[in-house]
Amino acid sequence: VQLVESGGNLVQPGGSLRLSCAADGFTFSSYGMSWVRQAPGKGPEWVAAINANGDRTAYGDSVKGRFTISRVNDKNTLYLQMNSLKPDDTAVYYCAKPVSKGIMVYDSARSAYDHWGQGTQVTVSS
């Protein structure tokens, strides 16, 4: 299994970024997927989740209304569109594959996932 995030960058407050996560080595379309972030000096924070076929999503309170999770199963790719970025969004963003098929995980606990990407850095600063 391989998860490779990309798209992180330095952006000004109010700006936008789109993160991607390319998945390989498992049946991507059978798994819900999550984005989890970790800011410097803080614990991991669950950001968003999407179900296996992409028609159901969920968001953490801190990003609701600003971020959009999506996926293209034909491309084995997960996305996170981030708008109206704030300095508090500065973190390393990880995509994560749950242990079990067919569920959405609303949790940042490492035990809920069996594979993580290497992360992509998002820095929001003027």
Side-chain angles (χ1 to χ4, degrees):
V1 172
Q2 193 171 21
L3 299 170
V4 179
E5 300 95 337
S6 61
N9 211 332
L10 170 64
V11 63
Q12 292 188 342
S16 298
L17 282 176
R18 187 175 82 156
L19 306 184
S20 299
C21 171
D24 195 14
F26 66 103
T27 305
F28 181 71
S29 59
S30 294
Y31 287 83
M33 294 291 293
S34 295
W35 286 98
V36 177
R37 68 185 181 185
Q38 187 159 15
K42 296 185 178 180
E45 177 188 9
W46 172 74
V47 173
I50 188 167
N51 69 342
N53 64 16
D55 64 355
R56 195 155 51 100
T57 58
Y59 299 91
D61 288 342
S62 62
V63 307
K64 202 172 294 183
R66 300 186 298 121
F67 290 11
T68 302
I69 188 173
S70 63
R71 64 192 297 160
V72 177
N73 285 345
D74 288 348
K75 294 185 177 181
N76 285 357
T77 304
L78 177 72
Y79 300 99
L80 185 68
Q81 177 68 42
M82 306 186 296
N83 298 329
S84 302
L85 282 160
K86 306 174 181 180
D88 284 349
D89 295 317
T90 295
V92 178
Y93 284 72
Y94 300 91
C95 62
K97 172 188 168 293
V99 173
S100 301
K101 288 183 183 180
I103 63 169
M104 289 173 66
V105 176
Y106 309 87
D107 199 331
S108 61
R110 295 199 72 86
S111 60
Y113 307 97
D114 58 4
H115 289 90
W116 299 69
Q118 84 289 348
T120 187
Q121 176 71 48
V122 172
T123 303
V124 184
S125 175
S126 54

